[in-house]
Amino acid sequence: MDLSDTPEEEEFRARLREWLAKTLPGLPPKPSPDDWPGRRAYDLGWQRRLYDAGYADVHWDASPATRLIFLEETEKAGAPYVGANFVGLLHAGPTIAAEGTEEQRERWLPPILRGEEVWCQGFSEPDAGSDLAALRTRAWRDGDDYVVTGSKIWTSHAEVADWCELLVRTDPEAPRHRGITWLAMPMDAPGITVRPLRTLAGSAEFAEVFLDEVRVPAVNRVGDENDGWRVTLVTLSFERGTAFAGEVVACRRVLGELAVEARENGRWDDPALRRRLGRLNAEFRALWRLTQWNVSAAQASGSVPGAAGSVFKLRYSHARQELYDAAAEVLGADCLDLDRPWTLDRLSSLSYTIAAGTSQIQHSIIAERILGLPKGR
Amino acid sequence: MRFRLTDDQRALRDGTRQLLVRRFGGEALRGAVESPGRLDRALWRALGEAGFFALRLPEAEGGVGLGLPEAVLVFEEAGRVLLPGPLAATHLAAGVVPGAATGEAVVSAVDGGLVEWLAQADVVRGDAAGAVPMRSLDPLTPLHRVPGGAAADPAPVAVLLTAAEQLGTAARVCELAAQHARAREQFGRPVGAFQAVAHLCAGMLVRSETARAAVYAAAVTGDPVDIAAARLLADEAAVRGARDCLQVHGGMGFTWESEVHLHLKRAWVRTQRAGGVTQSEEALAAALTAGTA
């Protein structure tokens, strides 16, 4: 067992640190969370800088350990997060890279890497939340096109996206996991209506997308017809694996800020609060170690963290909520003030145990795939 | 970074597991419960021969010359099988107390206000004057209370080895629960098919795997704050895991015949060792303000 960097990793870390120190002071100010066009421009601009410096494809080509160093160092330095590029860089891009044809890779991957096109994710539907395979959006073949009708929900960045990674049902007669197809849908196609949804945090974080006989060229299909479920699983296990690693580093920073705040307002003298923060320190240290453990295993086997990613996702999403509950205790009455950043973070942390498969789904995955318990209902 | 077991570490773990299954399997465990307070000296010497106590002692001093990660792996195995005896105290005495390294001597130590295995120990480190026997909750750990034995700062290695034993318990009770949930049928199907039961088992695995990452990392860095974190996670995984395992076993879990209660009782004993939970939480809180978090 070894936690130290290899010479190559050490070199990568040093080079990245130096570049961040040079680059971050020149960044424009961050747009407000509700300014989606502003956020799109800001996030694409950051991706372009990464591209020019040779870091754009760190999520795809680099070894998992190198990716972890990238997430650790950028977060420590306070660099922008992937933001609007999340789906393109961490979902659609890797999927196309793994399953797409040569033409598809050439068409879609360079604009993602260069920060020119934004992707959104058309997986969830109003009547199929965590039960993704229950999706009902239909697509049938008409000449060189698929014609798509249905609706999607919880689609982040839909308003400003150029492309949507869309799951559609192409064979309603097949068993539910078998009749699904993965399409790249241009968001400017006729028949698409985007209606923003307001979250409990007050922001228009995501949208509902209505599809009325939208024509998607058949050449935009990634993988075989009716094979979309398998194509999708490749990226979902990634989302539950290392996609949140940078956020663990951020949570550790917040914890340090909470301790400073508590000392300033006197609450640090309360042993119960102090011990609660101490316990959270243990929690986030352990989550970072678990990330390193999963990444090392993935590196050894040459695969993505499978069900082990569910262990991390489950524990992290709850820890994040506990962190902001502790923040509320530190803030006292100020925890009700929406102008305190921790208040908004506390509200948005409520989505973590729901998004990307609820905690209950993660429990079932762990029970069935790791512990070998019989499938239940 | 290569944060996974090396081939040698894997071999050490597997070898230790085989030794313990052979020398302290289910029947030996039963026998030990039926004759409380008696320590198997032949087993103790066998552990000594296998290098259990001299593991971290330099080869020049007759030891095995391995490090904390290896010690953690063998203590995890000891925790899995509920191996009785003052294991950590004897391990820490190797090279200091004659006979400890080879398993010829059983060495115990005053820890806070308690001493484990006082009557069977050849040497007791610390001041055990006036020690009074307790009717110990754990049938496999005789305890004495020591008057005025205030808790000193525990050695980080003692904290870590305790965490490693807790990890062993956490992993073992998760296995026992999953085995039972797969085999035991109620209402015409295995109880593991009921989500309420399946999710209890999944929770046990999440806690034990998180604790594993924390314990192994602390063994690699040797950092006292990492060790404090490992301790908190491992205590939680062992105690809650053993309780949930008992719950999964239903009425059977509440009987003396089931081995589940032995795991819970031992996990509770270990929570009182080496400064306890409070001290670890305070150490982790202090690290937040010292900028070393």
Side-chain angles (χ1 to χ4, degrees):
Chain A
M1 289 186 284
D2 186 1
L3 284 162
S4 57
D5 288 342
T6 64
E8 296 81 38
E9 288 163 2
E10 203 175 321
E11 197 266 318
F12 176 81
R13 192 190 292 275
R15 193 156 43 86
L16 177 61
R17 264 188 195 162
E18 196 184 323
W19 179 76
L20 287 167
K22 203 175 62 197
T23 308
L24 292 179
L27 280 190
K30 245 186 167 146
S32 85
D34 266 337
D35 173 11
W36 275 98
R39 284 174 67 178
R40 175 189 156 104
Y42 183 86
D43 294 341
L44 288 178
W46 172 243
Q47 179 60 25
R48 180 68 205 197
R49 281 172 202 259
L50 289 173
Y51 179 83
D52 289 340
Y55 295 115
D57 61 350
V58 71
H59 301 291
W60 302 356
D61 285 354
S63 75
T66 309
R67 189 185 316 139
L68 206 56
I69 292 170
F70 178 82
L71 291 169
E72 186 181 11
E73 292 299 328
T74 48
E75 188 49 62
K76 267 188 186 161
Y81 194 52
V82 280
N85 291 310
F86 184 87
V87 174
L89 276 173
L90 302 182
H91 271 265
T95 305
I96 294 163
E99 300 288 333
T101 63
E102 194 51 46
E103 294 77 30
Q104 289 174 334
R105 286 199 287 265
E106 269 170 38
R107 166 61 191 90
W108 285 310
L109 300 187
I112 294 174
L113 292 179
R114 287 196 300 259
E116 291 163 2
E117 289 182 346
V118 166
W119 285 68
C120 64
Q121 186 180 63
F123 283 12
S124 296
E125 295 190 4
D127 292 327
S130 288
D131 186 11
L132 194 52
L135 64 89
R136 290 209 295 237
T137 292
R138 280 278 284 127
W140 56 93
R141 192 66 182 262
D142 180 33
D144 290 338
D145 295 335
Y146 285 99
V147 181
V148 185
T149 290
S151 69
K152 296 288 175 178
I153 199 167
W154 323 127
T155 311
S156 306
H157 324 127
E159 286 168 271
V160 295
D162 305 285
W163 293 93
C164 177
E165 55 165 347
L166 189 72
L167 288 183
V168 294
R169 185 160 300 283
T170 34
D171 182 358
E173 307 302 320
R176 41 192 235 128
H177 291 91
R178 301 239 178 87
I180 296 169
T181 299
W182 197 106
L183 297 177
M185 178 177 73
M187 286 299 283
D188 58 359
I192 300 178
T193 310
V194 175
R195 189 173 71 88
L197 282 169
R198 199 163 177 218
T199 72
L200 58 75
S203 62
E205 195 63 38
F206 37 52
E208 215 167 347
V209 179
F210 299 96
L211 308 164
D212 181 18
E213 303 207 344
V214 180
R215 299 191 81 87
V216 179
V219 291
N220 288 14
R221 187 189 71 221
V222 173
D224 290 336
E225 186 169 293
N226 298 328
D227 193 30
W229 183 257
R230 186 190 59 78
V231 173
T232 301
L233 285 186
V234 173
T235 34
L236 283 186
S237 56
F238 179 81
E239 183 171 57
R240 289 161 195 167
T242 57
F244 298 108
E247 295 188 22
V248 174
V249 182
C251 286
R252 293 182 68 178
R253 196 184 58 224
V254 169
L255 201 49
E257 291 165 5
L258 283 180
V260 170
E261 176 88 17
R263 276 172 87 108
E264 278 170 7
N265 70 20
R267 284 173 199 266
W268 189 255
D269 297 333
D270 173 3
L273 174 69
R274 222 166 43 226
R275 288 172 55 188
R276 186 173 178 183
L277 295 180
R279 194 162 263 285
L280 279 166
N281 187 8
E283 184 72 27
F284 284 103
R285 279 170 174 261
L287 283 165
W288 181 248
R289 298 314 190 184
L290 186 60
T291 304
Q292 292 176 314
W293 183 256
N294 287 344
V295 160
S296 294
Q299 188 134 311
S301 67
S303 65
V304 289
S310 290
V311 172
F312 174 83
K313 197 267 180 186
L314 184 53
R315 182 110 188 179
Y316 168 67
S317 55
H318 288 271
R320 190 180 173 95
Q321 289 171 1
E322 281 166 30
L323 172 68
Y324 288 108
D325 282 349
E329 195 179 336
V330 171
L331 286 172
D334 271 5
C335 79
L336 304 176
D337 180 354
L338 279 171
D339 287 329
R340 298 295 299 242
W342 290 331
T343 310
L344 273 178
D345 286 331
R346 190 182 188 200
L347 290 174
S348 46
S349 76
L350 296 171
S351 74
Y352 279 70
T353 48
I354 300 170
T358 63
S359 295
Q360 288 64 41
I361 293 287
Q362 308 299 341
H363 271 108
S364 293
I365 291 173
I366 293 162
E368 289 165 21
R369 299 199 203 146
I370 303 182
L371 293 173
L373 299 187
K375 263 193 183 305
R377 284 205 165 262
Chain B
M1 180 191 74
R2 274 208 299 271
F3 187 32
R4 55 179 188 269
L5 301 191
T6 64
D7 289 344
D8 285 347
Q9 286 167 342
R10 220 176 279 276
L12 175 68
R13 182 197 61 189
D14 295 347
T16 306
R17 187 171 297 184
Q18 282 159 18
L19 169 77
L20 291 176
V21 165
R22 209 167 51 239
R23 297 299 304 253
F24 197 71
E27 221 166 289
L29 175 67
R30 285 284 139 212
V33 173
E34 295 316 316
S35 50
R38 204 187 65 83
L39 196 63
D40 182 348
R41 306 295 289 231
L43 173 57
W44 206 256
R45 279 190 296 275
L47 290 172
E49 275 165 37
F52 193 96
F53 302 117
L55 198 70
R56 291 183 309 121
L57 206 57
E59 285 177 71
E61 295 170 38
V64 187
L66 292 172
L68 269 182
E70 287 77 17
V72 155
L73 291 174
V74 301
F75 270 75
E76 179 185 345
E77 293 306 315
R80 279 180 67 89
V81 298
L82 286 166
L83 191 64
L87 297 162
T90 304
H91 179 97
L92 284 162
V96 182
V97 174
T102 56
E104 293 301 318
V106 173
V107 183
S108 188
V110 179
D111 180 3
L114 295 171
V115 194
E116 299 179 13
W117 291 96
L118 178 65
Q120 295 284 318
D122 301 307
V123 177
V124 177
R125 300 175 82 191
D127 182 9
V132 183
M134 268 190 204
R135 219 156 66 80
S136 173
L137 165 114
D138 176 10
L140 291 171
T141 311
L143 289 170
H144 280 68
R145 200 169 243 308
V146 182
D153 268 357
V157 176
V159 180
L160 181 64
L161 295 179
T162 296
E165 284 185 63
Q166 293 288 56
L167 173 62
T169 282
R172 178 65 184 148
V173 291
C174 181
E175 278 174 17
L176 288 173
Q179 269 170 25
H180 185 77
R182 284 193 295 263
R184 168 79 173 165
E185 290 200 3
Q186 297 268 271
F187 306 102
R189 57 214 272 216
V191 295
F194 295 100
Q195 270 194 351
V197 176
H199 287 195
L200 266 186
C201 296
M204 295 165 73
L205 183 97
V206 170
R207 288 191 297 267
S208 68
E209 288 308 291
T210 312
R212 178 181 308 283
V215 170
Y216 289 1
V220 172
T221 67
D223 171 42
V225 185
D226 278 342
I227 289 174
R231 195 265 161 75
L232 289 185
L233 276 286
D235 270 7
E236 182 205 32
V239 172
R240 286 197 56 193
R243 292 183 88 121
D244 287 352
C245 182
L246 200 149
Q247 180 71 20
V248 168
H249 279 76
M252 295 178 195
F254 194 65
T255 64
W256 188 264
E257 280 67 36
S258 155
E259 89 180 53
V260 183
H261 68 106
L262 299 173
H263 282 284
L264 180 56
K265 289 166 179 173
R266 187 73 65 86
W268 275 338
V269 166
R270 295 187 199 113
T271 62
Q272 298 303 315
R273 284 190 200 153
V277 166
T278 311
Q279 195 167 29
S280 294
E281 285 173 340
E282 288 285 4
L284 282 148
L288 283 176
T289 62
T292 53

